[in-house]
Each structure stands twice: as C-alpha cells, then as structure tokens.
Amino acid sequence: MTHQVTATSNIDFGATGVDEILQNVAYILSTFVISCPLYGKRSNTDAPFYLTKRRNTARIIDSIRRFVPRAVVIDVDYLGDVFVGKLEPVVKVIINE
C-alpha cells in the first residue's frame, strides 16, 4: 500500500507500527537543512531552481533511507509556488514490515 506523506509539526509519542513509520518520514520532511549561502567557494542561492529541487530530492531520499529503513520512497513531488519561494515536499512511500 502506498502512503502519501507531508511535513508535520505534531508528534504522537504513542504511535506504533505503520503510523510510527509515517510519522518518522513526516518529521524528516519538516526538518530544515541549515546552510550558510556565502560560506565556501560556491553559493547555492544562485543555482537554478530545477537543480536545487533535485538536490533537495536526493537529500530527502537519502535521509529517509538512512533513518527510516522500513519506508521505501516511490516518488517525491512538490506543492507550492516557486515564485513565492515556498515549496512543500510530498513523498510517496511503501512500508516494509
């Protein structure tokens, strides 16, 4: 069964089974990666949007594989408006138990 997951700010400390796994994926999606754009030789602020989106997608997939190995990522999509600067990842996963 495929589950669609978005970021969340609510945590159910009593979650178990599939609900716990989906909550862990949602928590990863709600975690920000902090960077300093002017540190180092290259700034990510001037990278094209599609490249930034691909890098973020790779980071999401890698984080889910690493920290929630029972969730298998099927697809990563984004909701929001590029011109406003707000995008929300939507991940489809299958749970391996």
Side-chain angles (χ1 to χ4, degrees):
M1 179 176 189
T2 304
H3 302 275
Q4 187 168 320
V5 184
T6 58
T8 185
S9 60
N10 299 329
I11 297 175
D12 177 12
F13 291 102
T16 59
V18 173
D19 292 333
E20 177 188 12
I21 296 168
L22 295 175
Q23 178 176 273
N24 291 342
V25 172
Y27 191 71
I28 287 174
L29 296 178
S30 67
T31 305
F32 292 100
V33 175
I34 298 175
S35 64
C36 182
L38 298 178
Y39 179 76
K41 296 180 181 177
R42 183 179 166 169
S43 171
N44 286 336
T45 57
D46 57 352
F49 172 71
Y50 69 90
L51 183 58
T52 303
K53 186 175 167 182
R54 273 197 265 160
R55 285 180 183 159
N56 192 50
T57 300
R59 181 194 61 81
I60 288 170
I61 293 171
D62 183 52
S63 295
I64 292 171
R65 281 184 185 159
R66 183 174 179 193
F67 297 111
V68 191
R70 294 181 290 176
V72 178
V73 177
I74 301 300
D75 186 37
V76 178
D77 199 8
Y78 293 87
L79 296 175
D81 189 0
V82 177
F83 300 109
V84 175
K86 182 177 180 181
L87 291 176
E88 181 181 355
V90 178
V91 177
K92 292 181 183 173
V93 296
I94 294 176
I95 306 301
N96 283 338
E97 290 191 71

